[in-house]
């Protein structure tokens, strides 16, 4: 199997913690596969185009700790292996940040840039129609992921509510504030990543966040909010990129503000076109001479091939699965600390949980309350993972997965699975 097959990588990560835990073999076998894998065909009569059938997925990995929870991704290369891996990672993520959810993920194989807004709405509604009986506030709750956003979540909520005959905001999270979205949700993943950078820099590099340089790959929801929070904390974000390319400041101090980066995307189509900096490729961004590297785009960016050229001493994984298991070995041998995705980007699902709680209670919390709880939970999870890694003498990824698996299996055992 290729180094880049996401589900094989997720299985390899699970296997890597087997010797750290005493798990009954039947639970281990159960966790190796999702409880349910749903593939749906979605015929859509594109406005002004031909009828086209898209393929959608919903994979529900485990719900021992609570309803399934996971984002929805629109991408031309979305496939079952990727969605299965992402669903498994969601199970570990909800366990590590300690919220009462399980793990799931969804996807549609589509290039959303080729569809009009109206066509995207129709496609999203078709997805909900096909999965109506398999999702819901107590069953499986969706959220934004790559190429989906608050608008997508609003369509999901509206379509599900229409089918059910009553208003049901808790079926999706990451909604617009006007429809029951939580304050702080859109920035939550990036904010959580920035908190992990700050804590990891302190713990491992023995520095303050103001003293480090950072490179961030990806300038979407997660990447841009990470950059914004890190800049607010005083970190020097000296390299940024998106799918079209990147920019690197010539010295240790970037000559741009967050507004300049946003303006480059808006006016010139890419953050790499910010100006006053060296234009670089994504490969060059990953190999930048910085203290901290934050991959915030897609999986499999750091592989066996380029891991040895990574010069950062700390990687904080904002994206899901950006480092392959082969690359992990190379980085570990090179003394590079890796704060794993299931911890680093769990701020998003955490605030999704806050949104779900608010929706079920018809409540709305102020942003300060959301951010305060986010800060507390992220720090607690970070410290638990680091302390466990010291206790077991393992890297942070194995520590996080082992802790998460242990929590999930404990729930399975107490509730009497099998
Ligand atoms: P997004 O669609 O908003 O942004 C993706 C960014 O990555 C864009 O800037 C895009 O140009 C860039 N990109 C895409 N392909 C690239 C490539 N080959 N090289 C370099 N850059 C590339 O998506 P997002 O919501 O920011 O998600 C980014 C990552 O974070 C994904 O791995 C996602 O699963 C993960 N994640 C997202 C959330 C969330 O709350 N949105 C939560 C947890 C994890």
């Amino acid at each position: 199997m290729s180094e880049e097959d996401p589900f094989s990588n997720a299985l390899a990560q699970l296997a890597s913690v087997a010797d750290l835990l005493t798990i009954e073999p039947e639970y281990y076998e159960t966790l190796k596969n999702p409880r349910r894998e749903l593939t749906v065909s979605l015929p859509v009569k594109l406005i002004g185009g031909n009828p086209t059938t898209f393929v959608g997925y919903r994979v529900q990995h485990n719900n021992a700790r609570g309803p399934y929870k996971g984002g929805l991704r629109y991408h031309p290369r979305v496939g079952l292996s990727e969605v299965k891996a992402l669903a498994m990672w969601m199970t570990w993520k909800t366990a590590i940040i300690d919220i009462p959810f399980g793990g799931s993920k969804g996807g549609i194989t589509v290039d959303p840039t080729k569809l009009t807004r109206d066509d995207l709405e129709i496609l999203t509604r078709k997805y909900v129609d096909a999965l109506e009986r398999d999702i819901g506030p107590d069953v499986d709750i969706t959220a934004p992921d790559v190429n989906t956003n608050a608008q997508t979540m609003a369509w999901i909520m509206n379509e599900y509510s229409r089918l059910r005959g009553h208003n049901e905001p808790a079926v999706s999270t990451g909604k617009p504030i006007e429809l029951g979205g939580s304050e702080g949700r859109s920035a939550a993943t990036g904010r959580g990543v920035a908190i992990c950078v700050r804590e990891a820099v302190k713990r491992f590099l023995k520095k303050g966040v103001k003293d480090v340089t950072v490179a961030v790959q990806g300038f979407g929801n997660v990447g841009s909010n990470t950059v914004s929070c890190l800049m607010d904390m005083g970190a020097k974000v000296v390299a940024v990129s998106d799918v079209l390319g990147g920019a690197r400041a010539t010295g240790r101090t970037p000559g741009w503000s967050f507004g300049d980066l946003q303006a480059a995307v808006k006016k010139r189509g890419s953050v790499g076109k910010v100006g006053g900096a060296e234009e670089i490729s994504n490969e060059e961004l990953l190999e930048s001479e910085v203290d901290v590297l934050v991959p915030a785009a897609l999986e499999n960016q750091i592989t066996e091939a380029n891991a040895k050229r990574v010069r950062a001493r700390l990687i904080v994984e904002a994206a899901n699965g950006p480092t392959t298991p082969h690359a992990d070995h190379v980085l570990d041998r090179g003394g590079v600390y890796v704060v794993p995705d299931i911890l680093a980007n769990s701020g998003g699902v955490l605030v999704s949980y806050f949104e779900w709680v608010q929706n079920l209670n018809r409540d709305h919390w102020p942003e300060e309350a959301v951010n305060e709880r986010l800060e507390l939970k992220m720090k607690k999870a970070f410290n638990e993972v680091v302390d466990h890694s010291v206790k077991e003498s393992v890297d942070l990824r194995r520590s996080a997965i082992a802790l998460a698996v242990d929590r999930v299996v404990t729930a399975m055992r107490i509730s009497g699975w099998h």
Side-chain angles (χ1 to χ4, degrees), residues 73 75 77 86 93 105 144-148 185-186 189 217-223 241-244 282 296-299 301 318-321 345-346 348-349:
R73 175 176 291 197
H75 196 274
R77 287 197 308 274
L86 290 161
K93 202 179 295 184
K105 199 79 180 190
D145 192 71
V146 175
N147 292 323
T148 58
R185 172 60 185 90
S186 58
T189 309
Q217 183 199 35
F219 200 72
N221 173 289
V222 180
S241 73
D242 58 27
V243 68
L244 298 175
N282 267 288
L298 290 176
E299 50 269 10
Q301 297 303 300
N320 285 310
N345 69 32
S346 61
V349 74

Side-chain angles (χ1 to χ4, degrees), residues 98-288:
D98 203 10
I99 50 178
F101 282 145
S104 61
K105 199 79 180 190
I108 302 179
T109 314
V110 58
D111 182 351
T113 60
K114 302 247 159 65
L115 260 56
T116 63
R117 187 178 186 278
D118 287 345
D119 284 335
L120 277 174
E121 176 176 349
I122 296 169
L123 179 61
T124 304
R125 289 182 184 276
K126 285 269 177 175
Y127 182 79
V128 176
D129 297 349
L131 290 168
E132 182 215 341
R133 288 167 196 281
D134 306 292
I135 59 173
D138 298 316
V139 184
D140 187 355
I141 303 125
T142 58
D145 192 71
V146 175
N147 292 323
T148 58
N149 53 29
Q151 178 60 72
T152 325
M153 296 305 116
W155 292 328
I156 290 176
M157 172 197 161
N158 179 269
E159 186 65 11
Y160 185 81
S161 299
R162 193 184 68 75
L163 292 168
R164 288 294 152 127
H166 61 266
N167 176 276
E168 196 56 273
V171 66
S172 62
T173 57
K175 298 180 294 294
I177 301 279
E178 298 82 350
L179 289 179
S182 177
E183 303 290 343
R185 172 60 185 90
S186 58
T189 309
R191 181 174 290 275
V193 172
I195 292 170
C196 282
V197 170
R198 188 192 65 206
E199 295 302 306
V201 159
K202 204 169 19 171
R203 188 94 171 220
F204 303 122
L205 307 190
K206 312 284 180 223
K207 286 184 177 183
V209 70
K210 289 190 172 71
D211 305 319
V212 291
T213 53
V214 189
V216 180
Q217 183 199 35
F219 200 72
N221 173 289
V222 180
S224 66
N225 282 299
T226 301
V227 170
S228 164
C229 288
L230 282 173
M231 283 180 157
D232 287 348
M233 289 175 181
K236 298 178 187 75
V237 181
V238 293
V240 286
S241 73
D242 58 27
V243 68
L244 298 175
R248 188 160 56 202
T250 41
R252 266 186 75 83
T253 315
W256 51 60
S257 66
F258 185 67
D260 295 334
L261 299 174
Q262 281 182 310
V265 175
K266 207 164 169 198
K267 292 191 195 134
R268 285 173 233 139
S270 169
V271 73
K273 302 275 178 214
V274 62
E278 183 192 358
E279 280 192 36
I280 54 169
S281 66
N282 267 288
E283 290 70 40
E284 289 170 309
L285 179 126
L286 297 172
E287 297 163 19
S288 295

